[in-house]
Amino acid sequence: MNKIERVQATLAGKPADRPPFTVWYHFGTQHAPPEQTAEVHLGFFEAYDFDYLKVMNDYDYPMPEGMEVMATAADLKRLSPFDVTKTPMGNQLKALEIIAKKLKGKALFVDTLFDAWNTIRRNLVKEALPKLMADHPQELLQALKIVNQNLIQYALASLERGSAGIFFSVPASAEFITPEQYEKFMRPFDLEFLNAIKGRGEMHILHAHGEKLYFDRMLDYPVHAISWADLNGGPTIPEARKKTPLTLMAGIDHVKFSNVSAGIIRNQIKSAMAQAGNTKFILAPGCSLPTFSYPPLIKAARNAAWGK
């Protein structure tokens, strides 16, 4: 099987010669032009001969013009729809165009996006989010609606440029948000986003981020696969298999990866493959690896996935 055939068979629930394999980490190119970002990703992909490429997306969702702090209900009202191509996110789209040309006919790639709640938390209001959820829920809901529409616009543009799908990061976990807050401020916007891109990609992946996941509440998300840290909070691969028919994407401990031996990594991969079986499983870390993960460890993981 070639790379594309292997991934497509896995997502379709057909037997593959082996599970598709990839890893990822943050390259720190958010300051760089799109050509450099594309070059770094393609070099990473070629160096380790992955089955598909997860493109990192670290260009920023922009603050409203003239602002560097957003912390109040009045600040939230400054948010508005925008043309994503005219923001830093446009650099990502240009990088995707380059990647798409290089990988056409050779391998699939997915683009990364954080959901609306996490975009607001990471890029805009930061530490003010708990207070905004408690004291200004209506203003926050309106802000989430605007951000979500901009993210939908971006995702459609990404798919038009050749992305096979969106790797959609959702921190629906108790260390970030309560169940009640999740139901109000996160889940409705996640579903709106995913339904807007449904049918426009072949590899949409829900990345359930966190160690105290509301796992069962995300199993109706319209995606092709679910990524999570089975070795850091769970559920285990067999437990997840009982819960959902989605393709599972897990198996490697991203937290300890850079600080353990190749032998331990190989054993993790052997165990994951034994648990998952030969269908609907992608071998991957539970989240981003540390950027300083050494090449011999990544190559050992790849070789173990290949059965070497």
Side-chain angles (χ1 to χ4, degrees), residues 76-269:
L76 290 174
K77 293 179 181 179
R78 293 281 303 277
L79 292 170
S80 63
F82 53 60
D83 180 347
V84 295
T85 64
K86 296 178 180 178
T87 73
M89 300 166 75
N91 285 328
Q92 179 80 356
L93 295 174
K94 291 176 183 177
L96 296 177
E97 291 174 355
I98 297 168
I99 292 169
K101 289 178 182 178
K102 292 289 186 178
L103 294 185
K104 186 175 182 180
K106 299 177 182 178
L108 302 177
F109 68 92
V110 296
D111 193 9
T112 303
L113 271 184
F114 301 94
D115 74 353
W117 185 90
N118 208 16
T119 295
I120 280 182
R121 181 180 73 97
R122 286 167 54 96
N123 295 82
L124 301 171
V125 305
K126 306 285 186 177
E127 72 279 358
L129 187 53
K131 184 172 177 58
L132 290 169
M133 286 192 291
D135 298 342
H136 302 286
Q138 292 309 311
E139 291 88 347
L140 179 58
L141 287 169
Q142 182 60 29
L144 285 163
K145 182 177 180 180
I146 292 169
V147 169
N148 211 38
Q149 287 302 311
N150 287 334
L151 293 176
I152 289 168
Q153 179 199 157
Y154 171 86
L156 293 174
S158 174
L159 295 166
E160 288 171 0
R161 284 159 175 77
S163 298
I166 302 297
F167 184 93
F168 191 54
S169 182
V170 177
S173 187
E175 64 260 47
F176 304 111
I177 195 168
T178 69
E180 295 76 18
Q181 290 168 338
Y182 163 73
E183 297 292 343
K184 185 170 185 175
F185 298 110
M186 189 180 291
R187 179 178 163 85
F189 299 99
D190 294 345
L191 292 173
E192 180 186 37
F193 174 91
L194 290 168
N195 282 315
I197 63 172
K198 186 178 179 180
R200 298 187 184 231
E202 61 180 305
M203 197 177 180
H204 295 315
I205 301 166
L206 166 64
H207 175 57
H209 180 77
E211 297 188 5
K212 299 177 182 178
L213 293 170
Y214 308 130
F215 194 84
D216 291 358
R217 289 297 292 142
M218 294 182 278
L219 295 180
D220 61 348
Y221 280 27
V223 294
H224 302 98
I226 182 167
S227 156
W228 83 105
D230 64 301
L231 298 176
N232 302 97
T236 66
I237 291 170
E239 288 169 344
R241 184 71 83 195
K242 292 177 182 179
K243 292 175 179 287
T244 178
L246 291 170
T247 294
L248 306 181
M249 183 173 168
I252 299 172
D253 185 341
H254 66 286
V255 175
K256 297 179 181 177
F257 185 91
S258 61
N259 295 311
V260 298
S261 69
I264 288 177
I265 292 169
R266 283 180 173 275
N267 286 337
Q268 283 179 11
I269 289 171

Side-chain angles (χ1 to χ4, degrees), residues 20-27 41 44-45 48-56 249 252 254 257 265 269 282-290 293-295 297-299 301-302 305:
F21 167 76
T22 200
V23 304
W24 59 91
Y25 51 57
H26 293 276
F27 297 105
H41 277 85
F44 183 68
F45 178 78
Y48 298 110
D49 200 16
F50 298 129
D51 288 301
Y52 69 97
L53 173 63
K54 177 189 176 297
V55 182
M56 306 302 283
M249 183 173 168
I252 299 172
H254 66 286
F257 185 91
I265 292 169
I269 289 171
I282 296 170
L283 186 62
C287 199
S288 301
L289 296 183
S293 296
Y294 293 121
L297 292 178
I298 298 176
K299 289 178 180 178
R302 179 204 63 197

Side-chain angles (χ1 to χ4, degrees), residues 5-41:
E5 290 169 345
R6 184 174 297 113
V7 171
Q8 289 177 334
T10 297
L11 293 171
K14 298 177 181 178
D17 56 343
R18 59 172 175 78
F21 167 76
T22 200
V23 304
W24 59 91
Y25 51 57
H26 293 276
F27 297 105
T29 57
Q30 55 267 38
H31 64 285
E35 294 80 8
Q36 185 175 345
T37 292
E39 181 182 359
V40 168
H41 277 85

